[in-house]
Amino acid sequence: MRIISVVGTRPQFVKLAAIARGMRGSGIDHVIINTGQHYDSNLSDVFFADLEIPAANFNLGIGSGSHGVQTGAMLAALDKVFTNQNPDCVLVYGDTNSTLAAALSAVKLHFPVAHLEAGLRSFNRAMPEEHNRVLTDHAADLLLPPTEVAHQHLVREGLGNRSVIVGDVMTDVCYLTRDSVKINPLDLGISGDYLTSTIHRAENTDSPDRLKTILKSLQELPMPVALLAHPRLQARAKEFGIELASGSVQVFDPLPYAQTIQMMMSSKGVITDSGGLQKEAYLLEVPCTTIRTETEWVETLEDSWNVLSPDVENLEAIVMRQKPLAVTKPVYGDGNASARVIETLLDFKF
Ligand code: UD1
């Protein structure tokens, strides 16, 4: 059986790490295509090395562009590779433009599609990720939701009979990493307590007023904020003339996966608009504040482990809240999701 995994962005490399590990010794001929959506080395190459992901068999080198240009270039390139490779299934990950392009190209060439991390919904139709996940779910033949909530979304959209709950593969990688870095705290050169922050979503970075307000609030927090600056944030801040490193904020380049986990483990709280970090904070039992109006990972909101704060003017009270007393629940699986994905792929009659 030949399965092609298509990835292109940082969070997809993390998911691929779990799947590639599970594929070893399964008898599946696993082919990896990297679209090149993320081309900065510390968003891509570093993840392949750090998470011991086998090198991609095909690098499409697509890079940045408007959504249509980026997705269209991927479609054209993928058509060729899929046709030559003749896979039994194309496995797509999450909700990026690489996900949608791969699903669309495969479905039109009549190759079966499986969607990992299916069924997540923000119900915010202005988000590019929401278009990507809804369209991909409806195009795919096999849906692999991480949670019961995600599965229920699919049931409501009439897709329940194609859906198998497998758990969350990011949890597999998070737990493995947590256990390997436990005794080794990260030295960032910040003395005392600090907060970890990442901001990269279009709705937060692409308007100068919004970005200015977010930065001002972070800079005024009463604790050092280690800001891991995604290239999109760095590019927009430069374009709008916004100084990132000021007041409480200290700026760092994006870190490799293990160091990001280490950093979260030793910080007092996380402030982010990333889906992955919200969930990792929950798994590591670090309080999280999410600069968004909604979240796909609704389970993290229970007991205020994660609090949504789209209104960034009053960030301090939320960020500096007491750590919840209640323990987190094992809603994202037991760290063995990738084994269930492989089993499901092997059993499925494509
Ligand atoms: C993409 C995904 C988002 C995911 C995120 C993780 C889509 C629509 N969005 O957002 O769901 O959470 O990845 O990081 O697919 N850039 C660089 N170097 C890079 C990559 C991006 O400089 O290696 C800059 C460029 O200015 C580019 C901008 O970031 O124009 C946007 O990049 P893009 O890949 O389109 O989206 P992300 O914001 O990274």
Side-chain angles (χ1 to χ4, degrees), residues 49-265:
D50 191 38
L51 295 169
E52 295 173 13
I53 306 170
N57 303 82
F58 299 91
N59 276 295
L60 307 183
I62 302 295
S64 297
S66 66
H67 290 287
V69 166
Q70 190 179 55
T71 311
M74 288 175 192
L75 270 171
L78 285 166
D79 271 5
K80 241 179 257 161
V81 185
F82 288 164
T83 306
N84 288 336
Q85 289 292 308
N86 195 26
D88 295 290
C89 169
V90 172
L91 180 60
V92 300
Y93 298 65
D95 57 16
T96 72
N97 291 343
S98 300
T99 317
L100 178 63
L104 208 53
S105 167
V107 96
K108 285 190 174 285
L109 292 167
H110 307 291
F111 292 119
V113 176
H115 184 202
L116 185 72
E117 212 176 73
L120 292 190
R121 296 289 181 269
S122 66
F123 301 101
N124 175 354
R125 295 298 292 259
M127 281 177 72
E129 293 82 2
E130 187 76 353
H131 314 150
N132 291 340
R133 49 174 94 97
V134 172
L135 293 167
T136 301
D137 281 340
H138 284 260
D141 302 275
L142 172 63
L143 300 170
L144 302 166
T147 61
E148 181 58 41
V149 172
H151 172 69
Q152 284 310 320
H153 292 149
L154 297 169
V155 169
R156 276 199 289 280
E157 292 174 28
L159 301 173
N161 60 350
R162 303 185 210 168
S163 165
V164 180
I165 303 176
V166 286
D168 176 32
V169 296
M170 283 183 103
T171 303
D172 300 11
V173 186
C174 183
Y175 283 167
L176 271 177
T177 307
R178 174 199 64 188
D179 295 342
S180 69
V181 300
K182 221 181 231 164
I183 38 162
N184 194 5
L186 186 67
D187 182 11
L188 282 170
I190 301 178
S191 56
D193 293 341
Y194 68 92
L195 301 156
T196 297
S197 182
T198 74
I199 304 290
H200 77 276
R201 279 192 186 280
E203 63 264 33
N204 284 330
T205 55
D206 291 3
S207 137
D209 286 347
R210 174 82 181 154
L211 187 56
K212 232 176 251 166
T213 317
I214 292 173
L215 258 303
K216 187 168 175 287
S217 302
L218 292 178
Q219 289 161 353
E220 286 173 356
L221 286 172
M223 193 180 273
V225 178
L227 177 66
L228 302 179
H230 185 284
R232 182 187 193 110
L233 171 65
Q234 298 195 25
R236 296 296 178 271
K238 196 165 168 214
E239 190 183 327
F240 304 147
I242 299 171
E243 193 64 58
L244 296 177
S246 174
S248 300
V249 171
Q250 299 185 37
V251 177
F252 300 86
D253 279 334
L255 290 174
Y257 184 78
Q259 289 179 30
T260 311
I261 294 293
Q262 266 179 299
M263 187 171 165
M264 280 197 273
M265 284 165 75

Side-chain angles (χ1 to χ4, degrees), residues 266-287:
S266 35
S267 57
K268 286 284 156 195
V270 169
I271 309 159
T272 190
D273 58 5
S274 147
L277 256 77
Q278 287 172 56
K279 198 176 45 195
E280 283 150 2
Y282 184 82
L283 295 171
L284 300 169
E285 304 202 318
V286 181

Side-chain angles (χ1 to χ4, degrees), residues 262-320:
Q262 266 179 299
M263 187 171 165
M264 280 197 273
M265 284 165 75
S266 35
S267 57
K268 286 284 156 195
V270 169
I271 309 159
T272 190
D273 58 5
S274 147
L277 256 77
Q278 287 172 56
K279 198 176 45 195
E280 283 150 2
Y282 184 82
L283 295 171
L284 300 169
E285 304 202 318
V286 181
C288 182
T289 303
T290 298
I291 315 256
R292 283 183 51 196
T293 42
E294 71 284 304
T295 178
E296 299 76 13
W297 303 105
V298 289
E299 301 85 356
T300 61
L301 299 175
E302 208 173 311
D303 298 313
S304 299
W305 277 103
N306 184 17
V307 174
L308 298 174
S309 183
D311 168 15
V312 280
E313 316 241 352
N314 301 310
L315 213 50
E316 181 175 336
I318 297 172
V319 169
M320 303 308 290

